[in-house]
Amino acid sequence: MSEQKQTLADLKTATSGVTAAPKAEPKRDKQGRSYATGKRKNAVARVWIKPGKGKITINDRTFEGYFVRPVLRMMINQPFGVTNRANEFDVICTVSGGGMSGQAGAVRHGISKALTYYEPSLRPALKAAGFLTRDPRVVERKKYGRKKARRSFQFSKR
């Protein structure tokens, strides 16, 4: 070590070559949209967000027409609620694979990632809510000698 610091004031003024992390830049295309891919179970959602009036289009259908269950609609709107950005972004999404619940989770994951690309300052709020983590749970595979993944055939003594 070259020199020792004696007081806290010396430590505050000292710069030992440590630089601040570079500030995250927004990722937007030429049309002002941000793109992200969201995944859940076997469902994959490709999501584009852009500033707008809150219109959500999924597979060229309306949001209410595609996800009929209110729980799934609420799940998709969660990232906007956490970041206080309700009705500020239009969402265009194509989703495939899996069932309705998996697709809704994939869309939520994609919207969350796209929001962080559009506005990097929203990342801490979305991260704390757990929306940026891809849910790793998938269906367990069927094993040979079994009826399902874990279910055995019925045992009979005779």
Side-chain angles (χ1 to χ4, degrees):
M1 298 193 127
S2 59
E3 60 185 69
Q4 287 227 317
K5 306 294 180 197
Q6 297 298 324
T7 65
L8 286 175
D10 292 341
L11 285 174
K12 287 181 183 174
T13 59
T15 56
S16 60
V18 177
T19 59
K23 191 173 179 183
E25 292 292 322
K27 296 179 186 174
R28 299 180 191 149
D29 62 6
K30 293 174 185 170
Q31 290 142 354
R33 302 175 303 180
S34 284
Y35 167 79
T37 305
K39 295 181 181 181
R40 169 88 165 67
K41 293 186 178 179
N42 278 339
V44 179
R46 299 184 306 158
V47 178
W48 289 266
I49 64 165
K50 62 181 179 179
K53 296 180 178 159
K55 184 181 174 194
I56 300 176
T57 307
I58 299 170
N59 290 350
D60 295 326
R61 290 166 59 184
T62 63
F63 175 55
E64 292 80 13
Y66 195 82
F67 290 112
V68 182
R69 290 173 39 203
V71 173
L72 301 179
R73 281 187 257 155
M74 181 226 27
M75 193 171 148
I76 289 172
N77 281 320
Q78 282 176 331
F80 296 119
V82 167
T83 58
N84 297 324
R85 299 289 190 271
N87 300 326
E88 289 186 23
F89 290 99
D90 286 344
V91 177
I92 298 159
C93 174
T94 58
V95 62
S96 63
M100 282 290 134
S101 177
Q103 288 186 351
V107 171
R108 180 178 77 174
H109 186 227
I111 288 172
S112 301
K113 282 174 64 176
L115 278 171
T116 60
Y117 293 150
Y118 192 87
E119 211 173 318
S121 62
L122 300 177
R123 184 174 172 80
L126 291 167
K127 184 80 172 164
F131 297 150
L132 295 178
T133 305
R134 190 236 191 259
D135 192 349
R137 297 175 296 172
V138 292
V139 177
E140 192 174 347
R141 77 171 195 87
K142 184 198 173 300
K143 281 80 172 183
Y144 61 89
R146 300 231 169 224
K147 199 173 180 105
K148 296 182 358 183
R150 296 188 179 194
R151 167 91 165 90
S152 228
F153 293 107
Q154 183 173 350
F155 177 75
S156 175
K157 217 173 196 182
R158 301 186 206 282

